[in-house]
Amino acid sequence: MNWSSLIRQTHRWVSMAFTLLVLGIFAAMGLGHDPAPLVYLAPLIPLALLVLSGLYMFVLPYARKWRRASDGP
């Protein structure tokens, strides 16, 4: 498994965890519970990982083009 596919797979799993965290918070609020303030901050960790891996996947095609262009004819 290369780095690109590992990062892509990790991005998928972290996005599922992030979604479940956010849904859990909304479900708890809907049931009338008031979660601790730390619970509201919990999704920020997976969100930061999603931003980093998403930016990597966004830049990857451009980096491949730049690498091919710099190799020359």
Side-chain angles (χ1 to χ4, degrees):
M1 187 182 258
N2 60 14
W3 280 106
S4 181
S5 62
L6 179 68
I7 290 175
R8 194 172 301 274
Q9 190 68 22
T10 304
H11 185 84
R12 287 183 189 132
W13 283 103
V14 172
S15 69
M16 285 186 248
F18 173 75
T19 303
L20 289 175
L21 274 169
V22 172
L23 287 175
I25 291 171
F26 279 112
M29 289 170 47
L31 293 174
H33 299 284
D34 189 23
L38 184 62
V39 173
Y40 291 116
L41 298 176
L44 292 179
I45 296 168
L47 185 60
L49 292 172
L50 286 172
V51 167
L52 292 174
S53 61
L55 286 173
Y56 171 79
M57 290 189 295
F58 178 77
V59 171
L60 192 61
Y62 299 107
R64 286 181 182 156
K65 284 182 190 177
W66 295 329
R67 205 174 309 144
R68 264 189 264 137
S70 67
D71 288 341

